[in-house]
């Protein structure tokens, strides 16, 4: 239960069982996907949307995805129709206009030579679109072929309009559980896209069952931007029907990185619609849950459980308002006599939305410790899951980098996995090397932007 990692060039060691809480992202962390199949799906449904809803030429439906082109972490310079790979100092290492590679002289004609990319701060802006996750990475190829389409005068759309139409497509497919083509496909053919994680399940159980010499246990929470419905489907398949027993707390629709906001009170005040979901009797697949939804305080018909974070700590743990925030109202009927303590076997606490300021008192209460909590969070998104909670919450963080699988395999190293054959065949992870972009980790002799 010790993880070795790198911090500013030096090896750092982290004892997991020395932490009070381990937090995990869901997608590409707890859940691993068959990347080739996932990329094919995202590319296909995005192109379908653009043709049917935005009027693009149907010829793009016949252009197969080039998986090798879709390296994670690339940057779209939208107004110029260019796709860029940056080194750790934000200098351009490789650039493509559509699917055509730009020469060094062409790059220097567009961008100031020997200078970091202008106005780039590491975040997406109206001009720059970063593609840091596997759900977005296929958009690299879609954007490239649409730029080619525009240059060939087969569409009158500008590069900016192309980006906006692609945003609309992503929002249609991913923005609502009840719309789009992504979620129905995953529900109906989960085995085509999701890996079973038998070893991970045992590892999580070992962590939960281990007791430190000081008598304290390490607890586990899951915090994901995914919907509760989607989380349930893929966890049932990947982790087993009793997957909820692996976690003490679940947070869905977290809306990271804003979930980790601790300073901007104005932003927090605008974040209405915090809600709370508690599932109980998790051994019963028909078990119900109730949801508390933060309501508009101007609504005179609302019935509020007036709770503050400090008051939360003093409430009876069997009171359904115990895990509340101010203000909340019940939107789904429930039988308060059925509420089970979160410490009872086979029970589990779930939230939808919320913020780390609402979560921390809960973690403190359940940890049975009066000392400051030691929290470590694992995730694949280097901005949302690694940098933000470390900077804003002072948590320890661990980056899950799937490209390391292919790097270690290339170096002849042994790695532990319950899906070696799928890794080797390329179904599970993208090779860290691309014929177009080079290594995910390098830009020539320098580190890449995301590994630097």
């Amino acid at each position: 239960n010790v993880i070795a990692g790198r911090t500013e060039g030096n090896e750092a060691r982290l004892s997991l069982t020395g932490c009070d809480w381990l937090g995990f992202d869901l997608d590409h962390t707890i859940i691993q996907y068959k990347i080739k199949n996932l990329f094919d799906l995202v590319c296909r449904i995005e192109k379908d949307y653009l043709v049917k809803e935005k009027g693009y030429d149907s010829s793009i439906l016949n252009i197969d995805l080039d998986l090798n082109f879709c390296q994670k972490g690339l940057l779209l310079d939208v107004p110029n129709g260019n796709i860029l790979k940056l080194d750790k100092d934000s200098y351009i290492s490789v650039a493509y206009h559509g699917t055509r590679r730009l020469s060094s002289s062409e790059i220097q004609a567009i961008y100031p030579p020997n200078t970091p990319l202008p106005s780039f701060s590491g975040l997406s802006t109206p001009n720059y679109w970063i593609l840091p996750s596997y759900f977005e990475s296929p958009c690299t190829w879609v954007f490239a072929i649409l730029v080619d389409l525009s240059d060939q005068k087969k569409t009158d759309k500008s590069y900016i309009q192309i980006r906006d139409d692609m945003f609309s497509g992503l929002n249609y497919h991913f923005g609502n559980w009840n719309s789009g083509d992504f979620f129905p496909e995953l529900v109906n053919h989960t085995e085509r896209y999701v890996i079973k994680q038998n070893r991970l399940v045992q590892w999580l159980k070992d962590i939960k069952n281990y007791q430190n010499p000081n008598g304290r246990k390490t607890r586990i929470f899951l915090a994901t931007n995914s919907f509760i419905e989607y989380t349930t489907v893929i966890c049932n398949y990947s982790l087993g029907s009793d997957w909820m027993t692996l976690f003490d707390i679940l947070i869905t629709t977290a809306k990271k990185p804003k979930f980790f906001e601790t300073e901007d009170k104005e932003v927090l005040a605008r974040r209405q619609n915090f809600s709370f979901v508690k599932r109980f009797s998790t051994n019963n697949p028909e078990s119900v849950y109730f949801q508390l939804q933060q309501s508009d305080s101007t609504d005179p018909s609302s019935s509020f459980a007036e709770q503050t974070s400090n008051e939360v700590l003093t409430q009876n743990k069997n009171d359904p308002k115990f895990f509340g925030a101010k203000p909340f109202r019940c939107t789904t009927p429930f039988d308060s006599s059925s509420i089970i303590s979160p410490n009872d076997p086979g029970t589990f606490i779930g939230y939808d939305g919320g913020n780390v300021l609402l979560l921390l008192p809960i973690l403190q209460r359940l940890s049975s410790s009066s000392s400051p909590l030691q929290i470590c969070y694992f995730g694949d998104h280097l901005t949302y899951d690694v940098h933000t909670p470390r900077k804003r919450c002072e948590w320890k963080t661990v980056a899950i980098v799937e490209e390391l699988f292919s790097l270690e395999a290339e170096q002849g190293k042994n790695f532990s996995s319950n899906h070696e054959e799928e890794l080797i065949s390329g179904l599970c992870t993208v090779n860290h090397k691309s014929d177009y972009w080079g290594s995910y980790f390098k830009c020539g002799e320098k580190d890449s932007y995301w590994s630097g």
Side-chain angles (χ1 to χ4, degrees):
N1 296 328
V2 175
I3 288 183
R6 296 277 175 182
T7 304
E8 297 180 356
N10 299 315
E11 186 175 87
R13 298 178 70 82
L14 169 66
S15 173
L16 300 185
T17 52
C19 296
D20 298 290
W21 284 89
L22 301 182
F24 294 89
D25 181 32
L26 181 69
D27 298 302
H28 307 290
T29 301
I30 290 293
I31 300 297
Q32 283 191 294
Y33 292 83
K34 299 175 183 179
I35 292 296
K36 182 179 184 303
N37 294 347
L38 180 70
F39 276 31
D40 283 338
L41 171 63
V42 173
C43 183
R44 173 172 59 80
I45 62 177
E46 181 76 343
K47 291 190 297 181
D48 285 346
Y49 174 87
L50 293 170
V51 170
K52 294 175 182 177
E53 303 297 331
K54 298 297 181 179
Y56 284 80
D57 193 286
S58 61
S59 62
I60 65 173
L61 300 177
N62 300 320
I63 303 176
D64 292 333
L65 169 70
D66 189 339
L67 185 67
N68 205 13
F69 195 82
C70 301
Q71 189 171 85
K72 187 172 68 176
L74 297 174
L75 174 69
L76 306 188
D77 173 8
V78 178
N80 289 307
N82 295 338
I83 306 166
L84 312 176
K85 180 177 180 180
L86 306 182
D87 68 20
K88 67 183 183 67
D89 299 313
S90 299
Y91 288 80
I92 298 173
S93 171
V94 182
Y96 278 77
H97 179 78
T99 60
R100 183 180 67 83
R101 182 164 180 148
L102 297 179
S103 65
S104 296
S105 59
E106 288 177 307
I107 294 174
Q108 292 178 8
I110 302 170
Y111 306 99
N114 304 316
T115 303
L117 184 65
S119 304
F120 177 65
S121 63
L123 301 174
S124 292
T125 67
N127 288 338
Y128 297 136
W129 180 10
I130 304 174
L131 303 171
S133 77
Y134 286 132
F135 288 118
E136 296 172 287
S137 192
C139 293
T140 308
W141 178 247
V142 177
F143 182 77
I145 64 175
L146 293 181
V147 167
D148 291 350
L149 198 73
S150 178
D151 291 349
Q152 296 163 8
K153 308 300 182 184
K154 293 183 178 180
T155 178
D156 58 358
K157 304 265 190 176
S158 69
Y159 302 145
I160 291 176
Q161 288 174 315
I162 289 172
R163 185 271 319 276
D164 292 344
D165 289 343
M166 290 179 66
F167 275 177
S168 295
L170 291 175
N171 187 60
Y172 173 72
H173 291 301
F174 293 96
N176 191 308
W177 171 252
N178 296 312
S179 72
D181 300 325
F182 179 81
F183 295 123
E185 174 68 13
L186 263 289
V187 169
N188 293 325
H189 303 286
T190 313
E191 76 288 345
R192 188 178 296 169
Y193 303 99
V194 177
I195 299 289
K196 286 185 178 290
Q197 295 281 57
N198 299 323
R199 290 190 182 182
L200 176 63
V201 168
Q202 187 57 53
W203 182 73
L204 291 173
K205 289 179 178 178
D206 291 343
I207 289 287
K208 287 195 70 175
N209 292 332
Y210 179 82
Q211 188 162 312
N212 292 328
N214 61 11
R216 291 165 60 183
K217 283 191 173 184
T218 300
R219 292 178 177 269
I220 300 176
F221 71 89
L222 184 67
T224 173
N225 286 355
S226 292
F227 300 118
I228 179 63
E229 299 90 343
Y230 182 68
T231 300
T232 301
V233 169
I234 60 175
C235 286
N236 275 338
Y237 176 81
S238 181
L239 308 179
S241 59
D242 60 345
W243 67 272
M244 284 188 260
T245 63
L246 300 173
F247 306 100
D248 296 285
I249 290 180
L250 165 70
I251 303 104
T252 53
T253 326
K255 298 185 179 179
K256 297 173 293 181
K258 284 298 182 182
F259 180 84
F260 296 112
E261 182 63 68
T262 59
E263 297 176 353
D264 192 338
K265 302 301 190 248
E266 183 178 348
V267 170
L268 292 177
R270 290 199 302 268
R271 287 208 61 195
Q272 304 297 308
N273 300 323
F274 295 164
S275 59
F276 159 69
V277 175
K278 177 170 180 173
R279 288 184 177 270
F280 48 91
S281 300
T282 57
N283 294 325
N284 176 8
E286 301 301 323
S287 63
V288 300
Y289 69 92
F290 67 83
Q291 179 169 308
L292 296 178
Q293 183 79 31
Q294 184 176 11
S295 64
D296 185 350
S297 59
T298 62
D299 179 4
S301 65
S302 299
S303 174
F304 297 124
E306 296 290 346
Q307 306 286 107
T308 66
S309 293
N310 288 332
E311 289 170 336
V312 161
L313 300 179
T314 64
Q315 295 295 315
N316 185 321
K317 64 184 179 183
N318 291 316
D319 186 334
K321 297 191 294 292
F322 171 75
F323 294 103
K326 183 180 181 178
F328 281 88
R329 64 183 173 90
C330 179
T331 59
T332 303
F334 64 93
D335 179 1
S336 61
S337 64
S338 304
I339 301 305
I340 300 175
S341 163
N343 293 314
D344 289 342
T347 67
F348 135 118
I349 301 300
Y351 294 84
D352 200 73
N355 177 269
V356 71
L357 296 179
L358 302 175
L359 175 64
L360 287 174
I362 313 304
L363 301 185
Q364 189 77 54
R365 172 66 177 79
L366 294 181
S367 70
S368 303
S369 171
S370 58
S371 304
L373 295 178
Q374 296 295 315
I375 303 173
C376 181
Y377 188 73
F378 294 71
D380 70 296
H381 198 298
L382 296 182
T383 301
Y384 292 4
D385 299 326
V386 179
H387 174 72
T388 304
R390 184 177 62 211
K391 180 180 179 181
R392 294 181 179 174
C393 308
E394 298 183 347
W395 291 359
K396 298 179 176 68
T397 55
V398 175
I400 305 299
V401 183
E402 291 191 43
E403 287 81 2
L404 285 171
F405 284 127
S406 65
L407 177 62
E408 291 187 350
E410 179 184 278
Q411 295 173 345
K413 294 181 180 180
N414 294 322
F415 54 89
S416 176
S417 171
N418 63 321
H419 45 267
E420 285 90 347
E421 291 183 1
E422 286 167 320
L423 285 168
I424 293 170
S425 69
L427 276 175
C428 180
T429 190
V430 175
N431 194 310
H432 80 97
K433 280 188 176 178
S434 163
D435 295 336
Y436 297 97
W437 308 103
S439 172
Y440 170 80
F441 300 100
K442 289 290 185 179
C443 291
E445 296 299 317
K446 296 178 68 175
D447 289 335
S448 68
Y449 184 83
W450 297 106
S451 66

